Every structure is written in C-alpha cells, then in structure tokens.
Amino acid sequence: VRRDRNRPMRDTRVGMLPPKLAQTIVNLAVADTESKGTVLDPFCGTGTVLIEGILAKLPVIGSDLDAAATTGSRTNLDWIAQNYAVEDPYEVILSDATKIPKQKHLVQYIVTEPFLGKQKPNAAKLPFVFKGLEKLYLGAFKHWTTLLADGASVVIIFPAVAIENKHGKTITYNLESLIDKLAQFGYTTLSEPILYHRPQAVVQRQIYRFRFNKA
C-alpha cells in the first residue's frame, strides 16, 4: 500500500496497525451511523487510523500521550494532504486518552487501537497486565462520554491472549469483563467481537463495536 510504505513517518518499534485493518474499522464505524461527522483516535500513534479517516472524506482528530507519535501523525497527515488532495480538516493533539479536552463539535466516531501490551508477554505477568489495561480502557470510555455525540459509534480493538501455562493448560486472557461495566456509561455492544490476528501471533485483536447513547 503506497500510503503506508511511502509515508514519511513509521515506527516499527511498536505494534503497527495494518492499513487495511485501519480502513476496515473506520468503515465499520461509519456504517453504523447515518450522519457523517468527526473521527477521533485517542491512541493515534503515527496516524494510521487518521489517514484512513481522512481518505474516507471525514474530518479527523488524533491524540496521543507520546510527543514523538503526535509529531509523526502531523507529518503523515501533511503528506497525505499534499498527495491525495485532502479537503477535510485534521488535528493532532498531545493528550492522555482520559483527558482529551472538549472539542468545538461533538465527535461522531471513535476509532482506535489502544496499547495492547507487549507482543511477547510474560505469562506470569498477564493477570496484572490485563488488570491494568482494563483500568486504562474503563477510564478512557468514561471520559469519552464528554466528547461523543448522542448515537455515536465506537470501534475499538481489545487484546486477547491465549497462552499455555507450565502445566500445559491453555489460559485465555481478554477484556470481556469490561463490557458489562461500560453499560453504565451509555455504551451498548452492536455485535460479537471480530477476531483478527496474524498466524503465530501471541496477542490477538478483538474488534468491538459500540453505540453510545447519552442518558
């Protein structure tokens, strides 16, 4: 894909979201709503989701806690704008996903792949890793209620790990316990998660789709 291989900023040190998957999750979000609006990626990295959003002719906002990532996103979006005749606005801000400032307009879509943990995790540490991820994601979802429009769509990737313990038993770790907790904030799941992973990958991706309705 030219827009992936030729873009100026790529970071292979982190788990990179494939452009085709980014395009898929943007399409899933848009398909769930009738009106078109802004795409927000609160964990934008170097902007893979933002690129697909803006190529879908949607305004995009990205945020990340890593200053180098936000610089990379801006550089990539500027490159896309120059090479693909982009007209819709784009913005990238340095911010924790749980502290993103309110925008001029409510957000219609959140499309994101947060931090999924290490690609080759330590089995003994996985219970603590998933406990920490659940706390992070729950805080983010709670904060996003201040940013989202009524009826907004959220498409997010959660990690899932199936690993064999020292006794030869396969133990599965995921964030299914988080789903019920999100209902209190107005989030409803739209379908069963879609599993996506490369062969031999330890950390798998679960794509969840939510509808947000204000109380």
Side-chain angles (χ1 to χ4, degrees):
V1 179
R2 174 175 176 261
R3 61 180 177 268
D4 179 42
R5 296 182 184 277
N6 292 351
R7 64 181 179 176
M9 297 295 293
R10 301 174 81 243
D11 190 350
T12 57
R13 294 172 302 169
V14 296
M16 293 185 66
L17 179 67
K20 287 185 178 179
L21 180 55
Q23 184 182 56
T24 296
I25 59 178
V26 167
N27 289 341
L28 283 172
V30 174
D32 288 332
T33 55
E34 294 181 2
S35 60
K36 298 295 187 284
T38 299
V39 173
L40 168 64
D41 183 352
F43 299 89
C44 70
T46 54
T48 306
V49 166
L50 303 180
I51 288 170
E52 297 306 323
I54 207 162
L55 291 176
K57 301 188 183 306
L58 297 166
V60 299
I61 301 171
S63 76
D64 203 286
L65 193 56
D66 185 334
T70 57
T71 298
S73 277
R74 292 188 195 101
T75 301
N76 285 334
L77 286 170
D78 289 345
W79 180 82
I80 286 290
Q82 292 170 6
N83 288 273
Y84 289 84
V86 166
E87 296 180 357
D88 292 286
Y90 54 91
E91 180 183 5
V92 181
I93 58 178
L94 182 66
S95 177
D96 185 312
T98 65
K99 299 177 182 178
I100 299 170
K102 288 187 177 181
Q103 304 300 304
K104 292 179 181 179
H105 304 287
L106 291 174
V107 171
Q108 189 65 46
Y109 316 106
I110 286 181
V111 184
T112 193
E113 177 177 85
F115 177 63
L116 302 181
K118 293 182 178 180
Q119 295 301 300
K120 295 182 179 180
N122 182 320
K125 295 181 179 179
L126 280 172
F128 307 100
V129 169
F130 273 79
K131 184 177 180 180
L133 290 176
E134 180 173 322
K135 183 178 180 181
L136 168 65
Y137 292 4
L138 186 63
F141 271 94
K142 183 178 179 181
H143 174 66
W144 296 343
T145 62
T146 65
L147 306 173
L148 289 168
D150 189 37
S153 177
V154 177
V155 178
I156 184 170
I157 295 175
F158 288 163
V161 176
I163 198 163
E164 194 173 282
N165 66 14
K166 62 182 180 181
H167 303 295
K169 182 179 179 182
T170 299
I171 307 295
T172 300
Y173 298 91
N174 56 42
L175 291 171
E176 289 183 2
S177 60
L178 174 63
I179 306 305
D180 289 340
K181 296 177 183 178
L182 297 179
Q184 63 184 306
F185 301 120
Y187 297 97
T188 305
T189 52
L190 297 177
S191 66
E192 291 296 315
I194 302 168
L195 188 64
Y196 178 97
H197 65 94
R198 292 190 175 98
Q200 308 305 318
V202 177
V203 179
Q204 303 177 353
R205 291 174 164 102
Q206 288 184 322
I207 305 170
Y208 275 91
R209 299 160 60 225
F210 295 92
R211 174 70 45 77
F212 171 71
N213 291 109
K214 292 184 180 293

